[in-house]
Amino acid sequence: MPENCQLFVGTKDYIAAEELQNSVNISAALGRPLLIKGEPGTGKTMLARSIAEGLQKELIVWNIKSTTKAQDGLYIYDTVQRLYDSQFGDHDVSEISHYIKLGKLGEAFTSPEQVVVLIDEIDKADLEFPNDLLWELDVMSFNIPETGETITARHRPIVVITSNAEKELPDAFLRRCIFHYISFPDEKMMKEIVHVHYPDLEDKLLAEAIKAFYWVRSIHGLQKKPSTSELLDWVQALTVGGIDPEKISSELPFLGVLLKKDRDFKVASQQMSGRVPNRKAPMRSFWR
Amino acid sequence: MFIDFFYLLRSYGVPVSLTEWMALVEALSLGLAHSSLYGFYCLARTVLVKSEAHYDRYDQAFQHYFEGIETSPELTEKVLEWLENALPPLRISPEERRQFQEWDLDELRRQLEERLKEQKGEHHGGGRWIGTGGTSPFGHSGYHPAGVRLGGSSVNKSAVKVAAERKFRDFRTDEVIGVRQFEVALRKLRQLSSRVEGPADELDVDETIKATAEKGGLLHLAWARSRKNTVKVILLMDSGGSMNPFVHICTQLFIAMNRASHFKDLRFFFFHNCVYDYIYLDPTCRPRNAIETESFLNQLDPDYKLIIVGDASMAPSELLMIDGIIDWSMSNSEPGILWLKRIAAHFEHAIWLNPILSEYWEWTEGAYTIARIKEIFPMYELTVEGLDQGIKKLKVKK
């Protein structure tokens, strides 16, 4: 493999499924950005941290907000500062390069060592945002017209992009990415994940909590299914509260930690009283 | 170069482009498939498929294409015995690797069968026979960039089996799913007023600062035209009894529409099975909470985009006859179909979303009325994919 032969295998506090490890390594080897999607709470953002830690590289995080422009990631020309300086006359304003500040991508490109760049929640930004970054991510270089300078990446950074699918990403952008969908962990994997966070947990408690957790997730009609982070909080609550593992499935204590919406809470409570399996509306064969 | 896999994927509806295919070829030449079919499965999926909604199609296509490649159980068992006593994994130099850039899987399979016929026992470390640690394309822990992995401990599941599990089925967009996905689809329904028209009446702060700075501090005001979403939407829902099985999905759409804050105007109306002289303002469809369909049409400009949700299944008489209305206490002086045509003629953009999946449209009991209504309104199934298509349709005039 060119440039780096290091392979990402997850870190001690981040369990990465084998498929995910593969995707990370493929993306690093091909030098293409890795686009990560998945349910909330499946550790999309944590992945980049884990890659940086696992490969011992610096992590540069670029948090995207609805107002973020692609330009902000490259460089910012601080015209306001220049204006002040010109009005007070205590600085030399003829040198524009003093007022050019590199953005997160600019920082990554100029770094003397390969870094990991996390572009977090790219779908928050404007629809055109990914398109505006196409060229820069492709050739890993950009031009600053104000100074005539061209910034080219010394080492192609490992780029991780996360998306919550709030907006459809443009096809041209997708074509250039490596894509991975983090599916929700199964019970076995979930046990490992919880174990990593709470190594001293009683087996019995963990097994019961996970069983109950997946049951709650399987309830039909929840608006927001509980995710990993809620399970972790719940497990902690159960431990601190000193709950008897036997009672977890039957009573579901501290359910509010798992379900944050009133309606979901009601639905779950109703289901719990009857413990009926997920019901499906019977199909009626006549109309009225 | 098994280019037909590329076309097979496309025929299964995975939108693969040449750019991605070239990336896959590059990845293969870097040996990223780890010389196993499962490795190839992961590699190709991560490089070629760009939406979890397409994972299932990919799985199907993969299964279709590679079904024959996977070794049959009885074949594997015999070979597994030979592989039991493994050599340590072999490292190989790039020069040596280059010799093995053959990737024709049919050829490989043929060779594997031939070799099985010839080989009579265990073998380790060589370059031809099935065994471990060598450079033969068949076996495990060895290195052959185009090899077929047979068992081995690193990856114990078979790629075709993984594909056959089809665990990404839930993410198919033609599957009926939740509110959030509807919201995402609805977000596409926007039409911004252009920056070219209208008065430039908004102070463009950024531009002003920039222009002023560029003039060395001499204040220079910049003005811009504001942009707003101009889409106005009407949701007209059937709340008749035959819609009961679909209450859940309709509620989800309803919530998603309600949450969509980006419309300029959003109105909800209801009807029972078919639209007649009156349109209802709430789902209970009671006469005192109704307005005349005539005034409904007068009040609402033709540039509203109309989304009708209904199963379009009713007795033909309800659609075609005078007084065919289902409510005993009511009467209608004109057949429902006339009203539907009138509505369709009034609005420039209108679609019909049917919670019955399109594959059943010709078979369900309402098939006749579905066919008739489909002639009047472009009909889509009420799934994320159907809504997507419908919204595309809503963006252009009929």
Side-chain angles (χ1 to χ4, degrees):
Chain A
M1 257 167 250
E3 210 167 319
N4 72 52
C5 296
Q6 273 175 292
L7 287 182
F8 171 70
V9 289
T11 43
K12 62 180 186 323
D13 59 350
Y14 186 91
I15 309 271
E18 192 187 336
E19 290 181 17
L20 179 58
Q21 293 174 18
N22 274 341
S23 298
V24 171
N25 292 325
I26 289 164
S27 135
L30 291 178
R32 283 164 190 254
L34 175 64
L35 174 65
I36 297 286
K37 277 211 270 184
E39 261 188 67
T42 41
K44 297 188 289 292
T45 305
M46 285 303 293
L47 172 69
R49 282 177 216 293
S50 164
I51 295 176
E53 200 189 311
L55 303 181
Q56 292 173 353
K57 297 185 188 302
E58 193 197 336
L59 173 70
I60 296 182
V61 183
W62 184 16
N63 277 311
I64 306 297
K65 302 191 181 78
S66 62
T67 52
T68 308
K69 298 267 183 302
Q71 184 70 32
D72 305 346
L74 306 176
Y75 71 95
I76 296 157
Y77 173 23
D78 195 348
T79 45
V80 180
Q81 185 62 48
R82 187 161 176 240
L83 173 64
Y84 285 151
D85 287 355
S86 80
Q87 277 170 345
F88 297 115
D90 51 0
H91 281 88
D92 178 18
V93 293
S94 61
E95 187 60 65
I96 294 179
S97 63
H98 290 165
Y99 302 97
I100 301 281
K101 292 203 175 79
L102 288 178
K104 295 290 178 189
L105 273 184
E107 261 178 55
F109 288 179
T110 48
S111 162
E113 278 167 25
Q114 191 186 34
V115 294
V116 178
V117 180
L118 168 66
I119 304 181
D120 207 11
E121 307 194 43
I122 193 166
D123 51 334
K124 284 242 177 79
D126 192 71
L127 279 175
E128 287 306 311
F129 178 87
N131 276 337
D132 294 346
L133 280 179
L134 272 187
W135 170 259
E136 284 76 12
L137 287 178
D138 223 15
V139 300
M140 298 281 179
S141 107
F142 63 89
N143 184 267
I144 304 179
E146 282 85 352
T147 56
E149 197 185 348
T150 300
I151 307 264
T152 309
R154 297 207 210 161
H155 303 278
R156 272 182 98 90
I158 299 175
V159 183
V160 179
I161 302 168
T162 68
S163 163
N164 283 323
E166 277 188 24
K167 289 193 188 88
E168 201 76 10
L169 297 170
D171 288 345
F173 180 77
L174 290 176
R175 276 201 289 277
R176 287 166 172 80
C177 292
I178 300 293
F179 173 78
H180 188 90
Y181 181 88
I182 304 187
S183 42
F184 199 82
D186 56 12
E187 297 197 18
K188 188 167 151 272
M189 179 122 176
M190 189 56 98
K191 264 187 196 148
E192 283 181 46
I193 293 172
V194 180
H195 196 74
V196 160
H197 289 266
Y198 304 109
D200 306 325
L201 210 62
E202 254 179 84
D203 282 352
K204 177 79 179 151
L205 181 97
L206 178 60
E208 286 295 315
I210 285 184
K211 204 173 94 196
F213 171 74
Y214 278 93
W215 179 80
V216 170
R217 271 183 65 87
S218 74
I219 295 175
H220 192 65
L222 286 188
Q223 286 183 340
K224 191 192 169 303
K225 287 183 179 174
S227 66
T228 316
S229 52
E230 274 122 18
L231 173 66
L232 291 175
D233 291 347
W234 194 49
V235 168
Q236 193 172 25
L238 292 175
T239 331
V240 174
I243 302 293
D244 179 6
E246 302 291 334
K247 288 185 181 159
I248 292 179
S249 318
S250 53
E251 289 177 12
L252 290 183
F254 310 120
L255 188 58
V257 181
L258 286 182
L259 298 173
K260 310 276 171 72
K261 298 200 180 210
D262 281 357
R263 222 195 112 245
D264 288 353
F265 201 89
K266 253 182 236 156
V267 171
S269 314
Q270 277 169 10
Q271 290 265 314
M272 207 172 54
S273 49
R275 266 303 155 104
V276 279
N278 294 337
R279 67 205 136 92
K280 288 215 165 71
M283 188 76 177
R284 287 170 57 166
S285 58
F286 55 91
W287 57 76
R288 176 55 237 234
Chain B
M1 267 311 289
F2 63 107
I3 194 83
D4 31 335
F5 184 49
F6 175 72
Y7 288 105
L8 187 73
L9 281 172
R10 291 183 65 98
S11 76
Y12 267 88
V14 184
V16 190
S17 74
L18 209 57
T19 326
E20 284 144 341
W21 191 254
M22 294 314 286
L24 176 65
V25 173
E26 188 191 337
L28 285 175
S29 67
L30 290 172
L32 292 176
H34 304 303
S35 46
S36 79
L37 195 55
Y38 179 67
F40 176 72
Y41 166 82
C42 293
L43 173 71
R45 192 181 71 189
T46 204
V47 176
L48 298 179
V49 188
K50 297 302 158 64
S51 165
E52 69 277 16
H54 298 142
Y55 273 8
D56 186 49
R57 292 176 191 164
Y58 171 81
D59 280 358
Q60 286 180 34
F62 192 91
Q63 199 185 350
H64 180 132
Y65 191 85
F66 290 99
E67 204 157 26
I69 294 297
E70 199 65 11
T71 44
S72 62
E74 63 270 25
L75 201 124
T76 328
E77 231 163 77
K78 185 164 60 178
V79 180
L80 274 177
E81 281 172 30
W82 302 338
L83 296 177
E84 210 87 290
N85 311 313
L87 286 179
L90 182 76
R91 294 248 165 258
I92 199 161
S93 70
E95 295 82 68
E96 281 175 284
R97 188 192 293 161
R98 227 159 274 138
Q99 300 166 11
F100 300 112
Q101 300 292 3
E102 286 171 39
W103 252 99
D104 193 308
L105 283 155
D106 276 346
E107 173 67 16
L108 269 177
R109 190 188 165 209
R110 200 183 51 73
Q111 282 191 22
L112 171 62
E113 276 170 5
E114 254 176 36
R115 217 153 296 181
L116 270 172
K117 279 183 208 143
E118 295 169 38
Q119 187 170 348
K120 300 286 180 256
E122 262 188 42
H123 185 93
H124 297 287
R128 174 173 166 82
W129 299 107
I130 301 165
T132 60
T135 55
S136 155
F138 309 115
H140 73 75
S141 303
Y143 201 102
H144 191 284
V148 175
R149 184 184 56 78
L150 301 174
S153 56
S154 61
V155 186
N156 235 337
K157 42 186 170 177
S158 89
V160 172
K161 209 170 130 221
V162 173
E165 279 171 18
R166 293 183 58 190
K167 61 176 175 174
F168 291 101
R169 207 175 168 155
D170 284 351
F171 296 114
R172 289 193 72 132
T173 40
D174 46 1
E175 219 58 72
V176 181
I177 19 182
V179 177
R180 174 139 197 94
Q181 279 95 330
F182 279 138
E183 279 183 272
V184 172
L186 284 171
R187 254 174 236 205
K188 286 183 200 144
L189 188 56
R190 58 166 155 194
Q191 195 168 37
L192 292 175
S193 59
S194 73
R195 281 232 192 244
V196 199
E197 288 159 14
D201 54 2
E202 212 177 52
L203 178 66
D204 189 339
V205 180
D206 286 347
E207 208 49 47
T208 301
I209 293 171
K210 208 173 152 200
T212 308
E214 271 165 6
K215 294 209 167 198
L218 212 62
L219 187 65
H220 183 93
L221 293 180
W223 300 92
R225 298 179 175 87
S226 52
R227 297 188 83 177
K228 288 181 188 92
N229 193 2
T230 54
V231 169
K232 299 184 284 184
V233 181
I234 304 169
L235 188 65
L236 184 54
M237 287 179 118
D238 184 351
S239 76
S242 61
M243 290 292 285
N244 282 351
F246 310 114
V247 161
H248 185 63
I249 183 84
C250 290
T251 314
Q252 289 187 323
L253 178 70
F254 190 85
I255 297 171
M257 287 291 262
N258 244 327
R259 279 204 212 146
S261 51
H262 64 285
F263 298 129
K264 192 177 172 193
D265 193 4
L266 174 63
R267 308 280 190 96
F268 294 100
F269 296 94
F270 300 87
F271 63 99
H272 188 180
N273 282 8
C274 186
V275 182
Y276 305 98
D277 306 41
Y278 289 91
I279 263 179
Y280 303 96
L281 300 173
D282 68 24
T284 54
C285 292
R286 268 178 302 214
R288 66 187 153 88
N289 234 342
I291 56 166
E292 284 173 9
T293 308
E294 198 71 63
S295 73
F296 161 81
L297 291 177
N298 288 339
Q299 273 175 24
L300 300 163
D301 293 335
D303 62 347
Y304 272 91
K305 295 181 194 292
L306 176 68
I307 301 176
I308 306 182
V309 181
D311 57 358
S313 304
M314 57 197 101
S317 61
E318 289 178 58
L319 185 63
L320 300 174
M321 280 168 60
I322 293 173
D323 285 341
I325 191 165
I326 191 160
D327 299 280
W328 287 112
S329 57
M330 312 265 293
S331 64
N332 56 304
S333 51
E334 287 169 293
I337 194 160
L338 214 67
W339 280 112
L340 290 181
K341 283 184 176 158
R342 225 169 261 164
I343 292 171
H346 179 77
F347 294 103
E348 286 165 353
H349 310 84
I351 55 164
W352 189 294
L353 294 175
N354 197 328
I356 299 175
L357 298 180
S358 57
E359 48 189 306
Y360 302 116
W361 286 354
E362 283 173 37
W363 310 105
T364 139
E365 271 159 291
Y368 177 75
T369 49
I370 289 181
R372 291 304 295 267
I373 290 173
K374 224 168 87 179
E375 288 166 15
I376 305 171
F377 292 100
M379 193 180 284
Y380 302 92
E381 54 185 31
L382 180 50
T383 58
V384 174
E385 196 153 272
L387 183 61
D388 246 334
Q389 289 166 354
I391 277 175
K392 273 193 193 125
K393 181 78 189 169
L394 276 182
K395 284 184 176 170
V396 291
K397 285 192 182 172
K398 276 182 292 194

